[in-house]
Amino acid sequence: MLNKLVWKEIDLSSLLHNFSILKDKVGKNIEVIPVVKADAYGHGARVISKFLAEKGVKNFAVAIIEEGIELRNCGIEGKILVLSPQFLDSISYLVNYNLTPVVSSLEFLSALGKYVFSQNIEFSFHLGIDTGMGREGLMLGDLDKALKIIEKYPSLKLEGLSSHLSSSENKFDIYNERQGEIFEKAYNKLKKLGYNIFCHFANTGAIFNFPDFYYHGVRPGIALYGYGDDNLIPVMSVKARITLIKEVPKDWGIGYNHTYTTKSPTLIAIIPMGYADGYRRDFSNKVHVIIKDKLFPVIGRVSMDQFVVDISSDPSIKIGDLVIILGRSGDLGIDAEKLASLANTIPYEILTTFGMAKRLGCIYKYEEKILSEATL
Ligand SMILES: *Cc1c(COP(=O)(O)O)cnc(C)c1O
């Protein structure tokens, strides 16, 4: 078998650690519903969900219906919330795969009611309220109309109420409070009408900043994967091996458009990874990698399939040596937060971009051992 040039490592022990931190944080009466949308933020939704299910997690949340079907097909048996709005033609699939939509419109709700009536079946769903995110969810003013539709179709079971914060990572943004007030209005109305309803509002930011928003369940995404609090451990690492080492003279331009020129004779290492692998072009001339427990600077432009590192300070480095692009080594670490700050983005985008990179195969580890493909 060929040696791997570039790969992602997903550490399931760290995932489990993060999950327990979240459980401890919210307390045992509040359900932690892992958000595994976008292929579990690039970590592999099938493996992540199956692993958590084996550890006793029942219910999950995804963004779109195909992601829900993927989880059902790999044996997830609990509730699967579909958070984002779907087309009306998804309704028979939602029912057949027993997925739980968070309904965002009166039109969808009516169509769902008609469908379950025509099939003579009961079906549970959650109602989403736009409390100020300006994205999915019903406007509060439409709640009465929604309740009329629900009354008209008794086999439609309103099981949950949901909303999403726009600025949860900012403890001092009063916008969160306003969203909370609108959510309370919706919740109180339903309580008064006798609905026994499961409320979920908090994402990662709210879990750490707004305990009042826990209600009955929380929906962490990024925290599971290791970001959002100092006690969490990043789950994904990205690694490569050096494919070429050589010395270039003083005044030698490196990479496309010579955005870097050597100031003295320089020992360079070629790393077989580029922006096609999620290593963004914005990192050019800004970022470092770790080789043999030391940091080395990336010089010149990151290209599609390669970038260049100045290794002049350590002539003992050899072809084939391990390069840590995202991850830790001894006291040194390069995490997605750091990379995001260099590319003017957020860790979510760094992780999902590595996640989309086809060339990066994925290795899963648990308790320091590499898991074989067959067990995954
Ligand atoms: C993505 C998402 C989450 C998870 O958000 P994090 O900030 O990653 O915890 C929760 N709820 C909804 C509706 C989402 O779209």
Side-chain angles (χ1 to χ4, degrees):
M1 213 167 69
L2 282 170
N3 281 316
K4 277 189 188 307
L5 296 181
V6 285
W7 68 96
K8 278 182 295 186
E9 263 173 40
I10 305 298
D11 187 346
L12 297 172
S13 302
S14 303
L15 179 77
L16 199 57
H17 166 89
N18 298 337
F19 187 80
S20 354
I21 296 266
L22 290 163
K23 275 304 281 177
D24 290 349
K25 178 81 187 156
V26 300
K28 64 176 184 311
N29 295 325
I30 289 158
E31 188 183 345
V32 176
I33 305 167
V35 177
V36 293
K37 64 190 182 188
D39 206 22
Y41 290 42
H43 296 64
R46 296 173 69 249
V47 177
I48 297 288
S49 313
K50 280 196 319 190
F51 174 79
L52 288 173
E54 269 167 35
K55 300 292 172 199
V57 176
K58 290 213 165 52
N59 306 323
F60 293 87
V62 295
I64 66 170
I65 185 160
E66 280 89 344
E67 295 174 329
I69 293 173
E70 184 188 18
L71 292 202
R72 275 286 176 258
N73 285 341
C74 74
I76 299 299
E77 289 175 347
K79 264 190 231 312
I80 299 176
L81 295 175
V82 179
L83 300 173
S84 304
Q86 306 299 305
F87 288 144
L88 299 185
D89 71 0
S90 71
I91 287 174
S92 63
Y93 293 85
L94 290 167
V95 170
N96 289 339
Y97 284 93
N98 190 21
L99 307 173
T100 308
V102 176
V103 173
S104 275
S105 76
L106 297 173
E107 191 196 12
F108 193 93
L109 189 57
S110 291
L112 193 59
K114 279 190 195 123
Y115 184 81
V116 297
F117 181 75
S118 74
Q119 301 290 306
N120 199 18
I121 48 169
E122 284 198 350
F123 186 69
S124 299
F125 72 100
H126 293 201
L127 205 55
I129 303 288
D130 182 353
T131 55
M133 172 70 180
R135 211 177 65 182
E136 70 272 22
L138 281 183
M139 302 304 283
L140 185 65
D142 280 337
L143 184 56
D144 284 338
K145 285 185 196 144
L147 289 169
K148 284 226 172 67
I149 297 168
I150 294 164
E151 278 163 27
K152 189 169 155 196
Y153 299 105
S155 57
L156 213 46
K157 302 291 176 200
L158 174 56
E159 178 187 73
L161 185 73
S162 150
S163 190
H164 193 40
L165 291 163
S166 71
S167 315
S168 65
E169 70 287 357
N170 189 349
K171 207 175 187 150
F172 303 103
D173 192 331
I174 55 147
Y175 205 74
N176 292 295
E177 222 169 284
R178 283 194 226 143
Q179 286 197 245
E181 283 162 15
I182 294 176
F183 193 74
E184 274 292 301
K185 278 188 192 149
Y187 181 37
N188 287 332
K189 176 164 261 171
L190 294 174
K191 265 200 297 200
K192 256 198 213 127
L193 291 169
Y195 285 99
N196 179 15
I197 204 150
F198 182 91
C199 291
H200 48 104
F201 196 0
N203 68 332
T204 294
I207 290 170
F208 292 103
N209 292 330
F210 301 103
D212 286 351
F213 292 174
Y214 290 171
Y215 293 94
H216 311 108
V218 295
R219 303 184 309 262
I222 199 81
L224 281 172
Y225 310 108
Y227 296 88
D229 186 77
D230 290 343
N231 293 318
L232 304 167
I233 306 174
V235 174
M236 184 193 291
S237 308
V238 178
K239 298 182 179 172
R241 292 195 182 277
I242 297 170
T243 47
L244 183 69
I245 291 177
K246 66 181 188 188
E247 194 176 280
V248 294
K250 181 175 185 291
D251 294 330
W252 200 251
I254 301 290
Y256 287 119
N257 306 115
H258 291 176
T259 58
Y260 184 91
T261 305
T262 56
K263 290 161 201 79
S264 52
T266 301
L267 197 57
I268 61 170
I270 312 298
I271 319 297
M273 172 179 287
Y275 55 78
D277 305 295
Y279 202 62
R280 298 169 65 121
R281 200 165 166 273
D282 321 53
F283 299 153
S284 303
N285 293 304
K286 288 185 194 161
V287 75
H288 287 73
V289 297
I290 304 171
I291 306 169
K292 293 168 113 189
D293 295 331
K294 278 179 290 196
L295 288 170
F296 296 90
V298 170
I299 54 174
R301 282 242 166 95
V302 172
S303 45
M304 189 184 287
D305 323 283
Q306 304 179 60
F307 64 88
V308 174
V309 175
D310 180 350
I311 56 164
S312 306
S313 60
D314 187 351
S316 78
I317 292 174
K318 290 193 275 310
I319 286 178
D321 278 354
L322 183 69
V323 183
I324 297 175
I325 284 155
L326 175 77
R328 294 203 66 83
S329 169
D331 291 340
L332 294 175
I334 296 165
D335 66 14
E337 199 95 54
K338 171 79 190 159
L339 293 182
S341 71
L342 298 174
N344 192 25
T345 183
I346 51 176
Y348 299 69
E349 195 181 2
I350 299 293
L351 297 176
T352 53
T353 307
F354 281 130
M356 286 184 285
K358 278 227 177 94
R359 270 197 298 219
L360 293 180
C362 205
I363 290 175
Y364 289 90
K365 281 171 129 179
Y366 183 51
E367 292 176 338
E368 301 295 319
K369 283 203 262 317
I370 293 178
L371 303 178
S372 77
E373 299 272 341
T375 64
L376 297 170

